[in-house]
Structure formats: structure tokens, C-alpha cells
Amino acid sequence: MSTQDGVPFRLGWKAVSLGKGFALSGSGHQEGKGNMDAKEAIALIEERFDLLETQSHYQVLGVERDASVADIRAAYRTLAKKFHADRFRAYMLNDGQQKKLEAVFNRLGKANSILTNEPRRAEYDNEIGASGVARERKVTADEMERIFGAEDALRRGKGMLQRGDIKGALAKFRVAFEVSADIPDVAAHYAFARFLDGEGSDSADGKKAFKELEVLVRENKDDVSANLFYAKALKLKKQTDEAKKYFNRVLAKEPNHPEAKREVRLAASRSGDSDKVPLYQINVMEKLRSFFKKKE
């Protein structure tokens, strides 16, 4: 949970369950009915963002207080798909609209992270009491600016990580983590960057970061980032069979994830399981092996 001057705050909105879809409380919008035009998409984001006030995590995900972990995860997956940035990419959102969409998406992740973790859920239930309503104040402009700053740092850090700038990525992820430590995607990026930074020297923090990735995967089995970075860390530790298991978890959530697909195919080719690898890829690999043998 983020804090400002020692006072906890939480973002949220009210959602009402409607079977496979959902509607915003007091709203004319309803999900799952055809494609939106740009005006409708922006209105949906604005309306969702305006409702980020003092609703409970249960209301955020549209589930009952006694909902099972499976039901909570299912609700999260449905809503995360609806408010994923890729779904709104074609609408050419401006910076302000993009930040509001990110705030909505991150709020979903926070609710899922807490309600699918038994100790944290029990603590949260005690906090909100029998009423089921979070007794918290609205988020101030300064607090929202901190959240937007953290989201920008996360985005920049991802770019640096892709370019191999581990130190730069680590600094950006640390900024995001200080504000949004309970969002699995943020925690996974931060832990993996620390693992990479300490992996060469086998530092104490590198070992600690690896353990944190283990815990993240155990507590957030459906989170793509947690599974992906744990798999990559396992691969770097030469635990390729175990790494393949977690790359496959990523593919179970995102079948077209390019990095996970590549790693699973490479693992299959190394193990001789060629029926799972496209023929053209096997031929390319064989040519590369022959080329490097000649060089030796």
C-alpha cells in the first residue's frame, strides 16, 4: 500500500457484476458489447478514472467478500484484458488519458495481489471492517503525481532493460517500487534487475532478489512478469528444465508472447524434442551449429 505523510491511501472504483461482463455503477457504459469508437473508449477511461476513490478491493474486481481465490483471479483476468493498454492502442490516447488508463490497470493489479494472498487479505478484511468499505480519503493531486511518476519510471526502466542498461533500469524500477511495491509487475521487474545486477558477483542482494522472485511466482501464479522473470533467472542459473516450466506458464497466459515462445522452442530443440519446433527453425539452428564448429 502506498502512503503519503504516513497516511495510507488506496485507489478504487465501484463495479457491479453482470455475469460475464460488468457495468459501472451509475454509468451507461457496459463492457463486452461490440467494438468501441475513440470517443467511447476515452469516455470509458475517464469515467473509470473518476471513480478511483474509496471503494474496496472487492468492489474494484466486482466480487463478493467471500469470493474464492479462483473467482478473484478470474475476475482480475477479465478486467485486466479489458483495460490493458494494447486494447486502447488504436485510439491514440494523449499523455493524460494514457496515465489514467495506467492508473486503472495498476489498481486492478493491486486488488488482485492483495485478495489472492491469504495473510494480506485477512489483514485487509480487518482493515475495512464489516461494512466492506475502505475507510480512506480521496487521493490528492500530489499523491496522484507520485503514482504517475512511478508509472513513467517503470516504462522507462523497461526500455533500459531491453537495451541492456541494467544499472539505469534498476534505478528506474526502484522509483516505481517505492510507490507500488504491492503490484506484482513492478516487484518482478525490480527483483529481476537486482538479480542481474548482482548475478555476476553472486552478491547477497542478487540471492535475495532471486528468493523474492520465487515468492512472487508462488503468490501470483497468473502474473506474466513474475513467471517470465523467474524463468529467465532460472535459465541464467542453468536450471533450464525448471525455467521451461515457467516459460510455459507465460504462454498459458499469453500464447503469442515472443520471448517465452522462443525460449520454449530453443529448449525443445536442445532436448531433441524436434516435433515441437518448426522445421525451418531446426534447419537454421543446425546451420549455425555447423558454422561455429568450422570456426573452431
Side-chain angles (χ1 to χ4, degrees), residues 8-14 47-57 59-60 104 107 124 133-140 144:
F9 68 89
R10 185 178 290 107
L11 305 180
W13 60 81
K14 187 173 183 180
E47 191 167 21
R48 273 283 180 170
F49 181 79
D50 289 343
L51 291 171
L52 292 180
E53 295 181 354
T54 57
Q55 302 303 316
S56 75
H57 292 316
Q59 292 168 318
V60 164
V104 170
R107 182 65 182 84
Y124 178 71
V133 177
R135 298 185 293 273
E136 298 162 3
R137 57 182 171 79
K138 292 184 179 181
V139 181
T140 67
M144 189 58 68

Side-chain angles (χ1 to χ4, degrees), residues 215-231:
V215 173
L216 275 170
V217 167
R218 186 164 60 247
E219 295 182 350
N220 303 276
K221 294 180 180 179
D222 294 326
D223 188 79
V224 170
S225 293
N227 283 286
L228 177 66
F229 289 129
Y230 186 51

Side-chain angles (χ1 to χ4, degrees), residues 116-230:
T116 56
N117 181 300
E118 187 173 345
R120 295 174 71 191
R121 181 177 181 177
E123 181 182 351
Y124 178 71
D125 284 345
N126 183 61
E127 181 181 329
I128 64 177
S131 68
V133 177
R135 298 185 293 273
E136 298 162 3
R137 57 182 171 79
K138 292 184 179 181
V139 181
T140 67
D142 286 345
E143 291 164 349
M144 189 58 68
E145 190 62 32
R146 289 178 65 240
I147 293 171
F148 288 158
E151 290 163 356
D152 183 64
L154 179 65
R155 183 166 52 249
R156 291 175 182 272
K158 288 178 179 179
M160 291 176 175
L161 188 62
Q162 289 178 341
R163 295 191 297 271
D165 181 2
I166 306 303
K167 295 288 187 183
L170 180 57
K172 294 296 182 183
F173 293 151
R174 184 178 291 112
V175 171
F177 185 78
E178 287 173 355
V179 176
S180 305
D182 51 359
I183 295 177
D185 181 54
V186 175
H189 277 85
Y190 182 50
F192 185 64
R194 285 166 47 223
F195 172 78
L196 290 178
D197 189 49
E199 190 262 340
S201 60
D202 200 27
S203 70
D205 191 52
K207 293 178 180 178
K208 182 180 178 182
F210 182 77
K211 290 293 185 183
E212 289 173 8
L213 285 170
E214 282 185 317
V215 173
L216 275 170
V217 167
R218 186 164 60 247
E219 295 182 350
N220 303 276
K221 294 180 180 179
D222 294 326
D223 188 79
V224 170
S225 293
N227 283 286
L228 177 66
F229 289 129
Y230 186 51

Side-chain angles (χ1 to χ4, degrees), residues 75-85 105 108:
Y76 166 71
R77 286 195 294 268
T78 298
L79 292 171
K81 288 178 182 177
K82 291 180 185 296
F83 286 94
H84 194 281
F105 185 80
L108 286 169

